[in-house]
Amino acid sequence: MCGIVGYCGYRSAAEVLLSGLKRLEYRGYDSAGIGLGDGKSLDVYKTKGKIKDLREHVPQEASGIIGIGHTRWATHGGVTDINAHPHMDTDKKIAVVHNGIIENYMPLKEMLIGEGYKFISETDSEVLIHLISKFYTGDLEKAVKEALMLVKGTYGIIAFHKDNPDQLVGARNGSPLVLGIGEDEMFLASDVSALVAYTKRVVYFEDHEVVTISKTDYSTSNIDNEAINKEVENISWELEEMEKGGYDFFMLKEIHEQSQSVPRAYQGRIDEEMATAKLGGLNMTSRELLDVERVKIVAAGTSYHAGLVAALQMESMARIPCSVELASEFRYRNPVVEKNTLYFALSQSGETIDTLYAMREIQRKGGRCLGVCNVVGSTIPRESDGGVYLHSGPEIAVASTKAFTSQITALYLFTLNMARMRDLSTEGGLRFIKALKELPIQLEKALGDSEHIQALAKKYAKYPHFLFLGRGINYPVALEGALKLKEVSYIHAEGYSAAEIKHGPIALINEETPSLFLVADDHLKEKVISNMKEIKARDGMVIAVAVEGDKEVAGIADDVIYVPRVDPAFNPFVMSIPLQLFSYYCAIELGRDVDQPRNLAKSVTVE
Ligand code: F6R
């Protein structure tokens, strides 16, 4: 939520900031602004709308070799020009951008108003600029630290002073911040996507750390003023991975990437000889893994659905009880953290605050929590006790697609490992590996049906409501299908177990509410077919996603989307592809902003 960027160097700061903000736009896109300095003046340009709107606001001749920028996802205060960042002090000498929430902003605001400070915005962030200004006596870093000492809440901030065109001060607590080290230039940003065009050398910060940069140097310390040494790391993502690569939208590109992103999650992690998976990053011995009696996954949104799929497979194949919980609920219910339970924090971004805080709660109670994340260097993997990276490459569309299948892949590898340590035979392990390795071809096939799915989207996008129904391991896929459709097309959709509809939701069936059934060729197929017939008997419309060649389903449903036949454990992979494509094409049909749907943002770093 919210993207921040800072630049200090020899290029036009405006250009670096605007291009950096464009790449951070998926973090929030309701308003944006930049502040530029050249030692003589401090100019702030900000507006409601997207980065393209901000670009029109920034004069061609805007000068400055230092600056800060912000793209906002509003929390406190409406979407207005004034509430946009950067915020400036009353003398217009200091500017600050902030990502996060200042929880105690009301008492701080009252205190500052009492001291004569004038507030012009409705934001919580404005207290920061007045606090920094209050403590400023010529040393910006000192003033920032003193201000942050009074603050409760989360922040990633960058500040600069008009009189010093060679200094930016950044700090973080709960909201991410990364430094990019260039030749005679330095960058600060919420994530590496804003820097990768300029440098691959980065430093990630932990909570309560502060960095001060000039164009040639940087120093790092903590908020208590102790100097700290930070490791310089290299980013593995390439700039091209962050481009649309000929696709109209990132979402479509990312859907189509799945035949490559899934194998990237398992490559180098399969041991054919032992018919198992090897995951070095878990930091656990075989003896410790053998002691695991239960697995619990905490996650949000799409990651939660991926967790549900993996949990069912873990229980049936590895015979380990596995449950999944919404991270936001887990954290606040005083959870029991058990000794022999292994916890997973599952998160594409590695920054989702609900999941991060759930992980911290587990660790605080002495539990071991592993991270399964995509973004290298993000907070969850850095704070977890070990884990697995997805290696999906950047996921830029706000709606998560390729991360879903990679998350299941990574957790399936863990499942295979645990199953092989328990009941699963060598033959069983090899069968599972074979099915896993066949997936890229099956995913390609499923992706090949996109014209047919586009035609169905044209036919069905006009309906205001949808039910997504599945059973067993495909029930979470139905939940994910409903989430995808509502978030990108704004069509109201509900996901249910097909078995559940007779307990209530069947009352919704009418001429405006099609039902999309997932009909795998597994032990539940006949039950699902009965549920389909129940809908048809009430004149409901039915679209079925079924296994290729299934004539029985075609005879009942109004429309069928066929997917390749795979081992039943892998149906969630091939069945999620048509649902993602269907949502995408419905959104296109309705003229929606597919990559940046209304009210949303990627990387949810507020509660
Ligand atoms: C839906 C979506 C969200 C995220 C959720 C968790 O398409 O993208 O529901 O899945 O915000 O995000 P991560 O996985 O980054 O923790």
Side-chain angles (χ1 to χ4, degrees):
M1 307 253 130
C2 301
I4 59 172
V5 61
Y7 177 71
C8 186
Y10 57 87
R11 303 175 202 252
S12 150
E15 203 37 55
V16 176
L17 296 174
L18 287 167
S19 69
L21 287 177
K22 185 73 203 148
R23 293 198 187 279
L24 292 176
E25 197 171 29
Y26 68 95
R27 301 182 73 95
Y29 34 84
D30 54 42
S31 46
I34 58 171
L36 301 171
D38 57 9
K40 294 192 263 334
S41 61
L42 192 174
D43 297 312
V44 165
Y45 307 95
K46 52 189 194 175
T47 182
K48 290 194 291 190
K50 297 199 167 189
I51 307 305
K52 66 174 174 24
D53 304 305
L54 176 62
R55 221 173 234 290
E56 283 165 19
H57 259 68
V58 179
Q60 289 287 334
E61 62 285 0
S63 64
I65 47 164
I66 190 165
I68 56 180
H70 188 270
T71 178
R72 181 166 185 246
W73 186 85
T75 58
H76 293 61
V79 179
T80 63
D81 292 356
I82 286 184
N83 288 339
H85 300 216
H87 294 291
M88 280 195 287
D89 67 324
T90 316
D91 296 339
K92 301 197 179 341
K93 288 189 168 172
I94 309 174
V96 72
V97 286
H98 168 228
N99 169 25
I101 291 181
I102 307 300
E103 286 167 6
N104 61 339
Y105 83 102
M106 275 314 285
L108 290 173
K109 189 169 175 176
E110 278 162 21
M111 174 191 88
L112 289 160
I113 289 173
E115 293 175 18
Y117 289 89
K118 298 250 174 321
F119 280 74
I120 54 169
S121 79
E122 302 156 320
T123 66
D124 55 328
S125 311
E126 199 182 347
V127 297
L128 282 173
I129 187 65
H130 295 306
L131 284 174
I132 295 170
S133 146
K134 169 181 158 82
F135 292 118
Y136 183 78
T137 52
D139 181 343
L140 185 62
E141 182 183 307
K142 185 164 164 285
V144 166
K145 285 178 178 167
E146 284 175 16
L148 294 179
M149 288 292 215
L150 298 183
V151 158
K152 285 203 187 81
T154 54
Y155 53 79
I157 66 160
I158 313 174
F160 81 103
H161 194 289
K162 164 179 163 281
D163 296 341
N164 194 344
D166 194 26
Q167 186 191 61
L168 290 180
V169 179
R172 76 156 272 177
N173 181 42
S175 303
L177 185 70
V178 59
L179 161 71
I181 304 168
E183 287 289 320
D184 288 333
E185 57 183 348
M186 298 276 171
F187 308 81
L188 289 171
S190 304
D191 70 57
V192 297
S193 57
L195 320 172
V196 75
Y198 304 102
T199 180
K200 294 243 164 136
R201 299 181 65 225
V202 297
V203 174
Y204 296 101
F205 295 100
E206 311 295 330
D207 284 353
H208 308 297
E209 290 185 346
V210 177
V211 56
T212 297
I213 65 172
S214 68
K215 62 175 180 288
T216 52
D217 206 0
Y218 65 93
S219 66
T220 48
S221 55
N222 62 23
I223 198 166
D224 296 322
N225 233 357
E226 295 157 336
I228 42 173
N229 278 327
K230 299 292 297 178
E231 191 190 338
V232 177
E233 299 179 41
N234 280 310
I235 315 169
S236 57
W237 287 354
E238 299 295 334
L239 189 58
E240 305 82 70
E241 292 182 271
M242 294 180 184
E243 311 281 355
K244 286 192 195 137
Y247 287 91
D248 290 340
F249 288 94
F250 281 110
M251 182 178 174
L252 189 61
K253 176 186 176 226
E254 288 159 10
I255 293 172
H256 279 275
E257 275 174 354
Q258 288 174 97
S259 54
Q260 300 116 59
S261 54
V262 164
R264 279 207 300 271
Y266 67 67
Q267 265 151 14
R269 292 169 165 169
I270 289 175
D271 181 346
E272 301 251 8
E273 210 183 316
M274 296 292 170
T276 189
K278 43 182 193 338
L279 297 165
L282 300 184
N283 296 336
M284 288 178 77
T285 62
S286 302
R287 181 59 57 89
E288 286 172 320
L289 286 171
L290 204 54
D291 284 342
V292 172
E293 287 171 5
R294 254 169 228 287
V295 169
K296 181 147 216 152
I297 300 167
V298 289
T302 292
S303 299
Y304 171 73
H305 297 150
L308 290 173
V309 171
L312 288 165
Q313 186 60 18
M314 195 155 338
E315 196 154 296
S316 79
M317 185 162 99
R319 309 301 301 148
I320 299 172
C322 180
S323 57
V324 193
E325 192 163 335
L326 291 170
S328 50
E329 295 300 328
F330 177 85
R331 180 193 170 207
Y332 284 107
R333 67 166 176 79
N334 193 14
V336 175
V337 170
E338 292 167 309
K339 197 163 165 224
N340 290 336
T341 298
L342 179 62
Y343 294 85
F344 280 94
L346 182 59
S347 169
Q348 186 285 130
S349 63
E351 298 291 352
T352 300
I353 210 150
D354 291 328
T355 312
L356 172 65
Y357 284 7
M359 180 175 85
R360 287 182 181 166
E361 181 66 2
I362 291 161
Q363 291 172 323
R364 185 186 70 75
K365 291 187 162 180
R368 189 197 289 256
C369 190
L370 305 178
V372 178
C373 300
N374 189 35
V375 179
V376 175
S378 56
T379 310
I380 291 175
R382 278 185 297 113
E383 291 191 15
S384 65
D385 299 297
V388 187
Y389 275 121
L390 303 179
H391 301 307
S392 317
E395 189 181 68
I396 291 167
V398 164
S400 186
T401 52
K402 64 177 175 173
F404 177 71
T405 44
S406 294
Q407 286 170 331
I408 302 173
T409 308
L411 287 170
Y412 270 22
L413 293 178
F414 176 77
T415 303
L416 173 63
N417 187 20
M418 295 298 264
R420 285 286 294 125
M421 290 176 71
R422 290 163 171 81
D423 289 356
L424 191 70
S425 64
T426 309
E427 293 68 38
L430 286 175
R431 253 197 318 276
F432 190 81
I433 291 171
K434 182 167 175 287
L436 182 64
K437 287 177 137 185
E438 281 168 5
L439 260 187
I441 292 176
Q442 314 291 24
L443 289 170
E444 259 321 305
K445 271 200 203 162
L447 288 161
D449 202 20
S450 63
E451 265 181 43
H452 170 52
I453 296 169
Q454 186 171 8
L456 290 180
K458 263 190 196 313
K459 175 173 169 188
Y460 286 99
K462 61 175 182 280
Y463 292 103
H465 310 286
F466 257 87
L467 289 180
F468 283 74
L469 304 162
R471 288 208 66 183
I473 205 161
N474 297 307
Y475 163 44
V477 181
L479 297 180
E480 174 58 10
L483 173 63
K484 217 80 310 167
L485 186 68
K486 71 184 115 183
E487 71 179 322
V488 297
S489 72
Y490 318 151
I491 296 172
H492 169 232
E494 307 241 13
Y496 273 101
S497 157
E500 271 294 298
I501 47 169
K502 56 188 177 293
H503 297 295
I506 200 161
L508 295 171
I509 296 305
N510 63 12
E511 63 291 346
E512 292 198 318
T513 310
S515 302
L516 193 150
F517 275 86
L518 301 175
V519 199
D521 196 3
D522 61 13
H523 62 295
L524 290 164
K525 179 177 164 188
E526 291 316 316
K527 312 256 175 229
V528 177
I529 286 187
S530 299
N531 300 142
M532 272 170 65
K533 287 182 178 163
E534 286 155 16
I535 301 282
K536 286 306 303 170
R538 286 155 183 84
D539 292 331
M541 281 165 283
V542 168
I543 310 168
V545 178
V547 175
E548 55 192 351
D550 192 328
K551 298 224 169 57
E552 185 186 3
V553 172
I556 305 165
D558 298 284
D559 285 290
V560 183
I561 301 168
Y562 282 122
V563 294
R565 179 175 296 279
V566 292
D567 179 289
F570 294 90
N571 273 320
F573 289 83
V574 290
M575 296 227 158
S576 57
I577 298 281
L579 303 195
Q580 294 169 352
L581 287 169
F582 184 71
S583 300
Y584 171 82
Y585 285 117
C586 283
I588 294 290
E589 198 52 33
L590 297 169
R592 309 297 191 220
D593 190 344
V594 179
D595 283 340
Q596 295 175 348
R598 72 179 176 210
N599 304 337
L600 290 175
K602 208 160 179 79
S603 196
V604 184
T605 55
V606 295
E607 284 197 70

